[in-house]
Amino acid sequence: MAEAQLFVSQDEFSCTVCLDTLTDPVSLHCGHSFCLKCLTNYWDQSQVCSCPQCRHTFMLRPELKRNTLLNEVIKKLTKTTISPPPAPPSQNYAGLGDVQCDACTGKKFRAVKSCLTCMASYCQTHLQPHLEGDALKHHKLIDPDGNMKEKFCEKHHKSLEMFCKTDDLCICMMCVVTGHKNHEMVELEMEREEKQKQLEVTLSDIKRRLEEREKTLKETRRVMEEMKVSGIGRQ
């Protein structure tokens, strides 16, 4: 019996870390697969053990075992009709002052977006799962931000979403239930807007005072000039 022909995209069997066809594929509990070497190197260079694609964090580093079925499928397809992987979209390497892509290994591309849910920045290629996958479409994307660590709770590895007025501190949702019970809290965005309004009022007040001081200084100079002219006239 002739084998059934499979029509698949090369992207379905590509590692999102190296962007090449999977080699010695391993699969995580979140459902994403990577090259064994790529994932091992990625975790060796990271402080937390998480999925490079969806950022799901593991408390303990999982033991990586090759996905035998996926490996056989890839071998069979590479012997038949799979074409060479398409060239990645045109993009630039990160330079001085640019935000780097957290998912790139080796020389990193410039990030085009940062994700407040994943607490990471992505180049155009590694951003695609957020634009195409249903699981990541609800994540909040912002312009590239090089200070993502400042928006990240080091204790719980969660994004900072609340502001504790009692302790004057930005906290995550885990902090809310573990250490700030009965404290006065507001959403971080609301606190940011309030601080911005207060800053605008303060700047407006400073500007008003400077204008008044400048006006007083001009008047003082005018009086001194008049006194000087009057003194010369008397001589």
Side-chain angles (χ1 to χ4, degrees):
M1 181 181 295
E3 293 185 1
Q5 187 174 4
L6 296 176
F7 294 92
V8 295
S9 169
Q10 178 72 12
D11 293 337
E12 296 180 45
F13 299 96
S14 296
C15 171
T16 56
V17 176
C18 67
L19 306 181
D20 205 345
T21 303
L22 289 165
T23 302
D24 290 331
V26 291
S27 299
L28 299 177
H29 297 312
C30 57
H32 298 117
S33 300
F34 307 92
C35 300
L36 174 60
K37 184 177 180 180
C38 290
L39 187 57
T40 300
N41 291 339
Y42 181 82
W43 282 351
D44 288 344
Q45 299 173 11
S46 177
Q47 294 181 351
V48 294
C49 189
S50 62
C51 172
Q53 186 163 333
C54 70
R55 294 294 168 176
H56 175 79
T57 302
F58 302 95
M59 298 301 295
L60 296 176
R61 181 164 176 165
E63 181 182 357
L64 299 177
K65 295 183 179 180
R66 187 170 64 173
N67 188 323
T68 305
L69 178 59
L70 182 57
N71 188 56
E72 290 301 320
V73 171
I74 293 174
K75 282 184 177 181
K76 186 170 293 187
L77 288 173
T78 53
K79 291 179 181 178
T80 54
T81 58
I82 289 185
S83 58
S90 177
Q91 51 190 331
N92 299 321
Y93 287 112
L96 184 63
D98 291 332
V99 178
Q100 296 182 347
C101 173
D102 292 314
C104 286
T105 58
K107 194 171 183 180
K108 295 179 178 291
F109 283 118
R110 181 175 59 193
V112 295
K113 288 290 181 181
S114 295
C115 177
L116 291 179
T117 307
C118 299
M119 299 308 299
S121 300
Y122 300 102
C123 64
Q124 188 62 52
T125 298
H126 288 115
L127 181 67
Q128 292 310 305
H130 280 77
L131 304 178
E132 300 172 355
D134 293 335
L136 305 180
K137 280 186 176 180
H138 68 282
H139 287 193
K140 185 175 182 180
L141 299 176
I142 60 173
D143 290 334
D145 190 335
N147 298 314
M148 295 299 288
K149 289 184 178 180
E150 297 181 2
K151 300 177 175 63
F152 188 73
C153 176
E154 295 183 357
K155 182 177 180 180
H156 299 111
H157 305 295
K158 302 288 184 181
S159 60
L160 300 173
E161 301 180 45
M162 303 295 292
F163 182 80
C164 177
K165 288 181 172 288
T166 305
D167 295 333
D168 192 28
L169 187 68
C170 298
I171 58 178
C172 72
M173 296 306 295
M174 285 295 293
C175 292
V176 172
V177 298
T178 58
H180 298 263
K181 189 176 181 180
N182 299 325
H183 288 190
E184 182 182 0
M185 290 173 287
V186 295
E187 291 184 3
L188 190 58
E189 189 61 32
M190 293 180 60
E191 180 65 18
R192 185 179 293 111
E193 292 176 358
E194 181 62 27
K195 293 291 186 184
Q196 182 66 31
K197 291 179 182 179
Q198 293 176 5
L199 179 61
E200 290 175 356
V201 171
T202 301
L203 290 176
S204 178
D205 184 56
I206 293 175
K207 182 180 179 181
R208 178 183 59 79
R209 291 183 182 182
L210 287 175
E211 290 175 349
E212 290 178 352
R213 183 171 297 180
E214 182 68 20
K215 183 178 180 181
T216 301
L217 182 59
K218 287 183 178 180
E219 180 64 20
T220 301
R221 287 175 176 172
R222 184 187 66 79
V223 172
M224 292 181 65
E225 285 294 325
E226 289 181 353
M227 292 176 61
K228 184 176 180 182
V229 172
S230 299
I232 295 175
R234 287 196 297 271
Q235 293 176 355

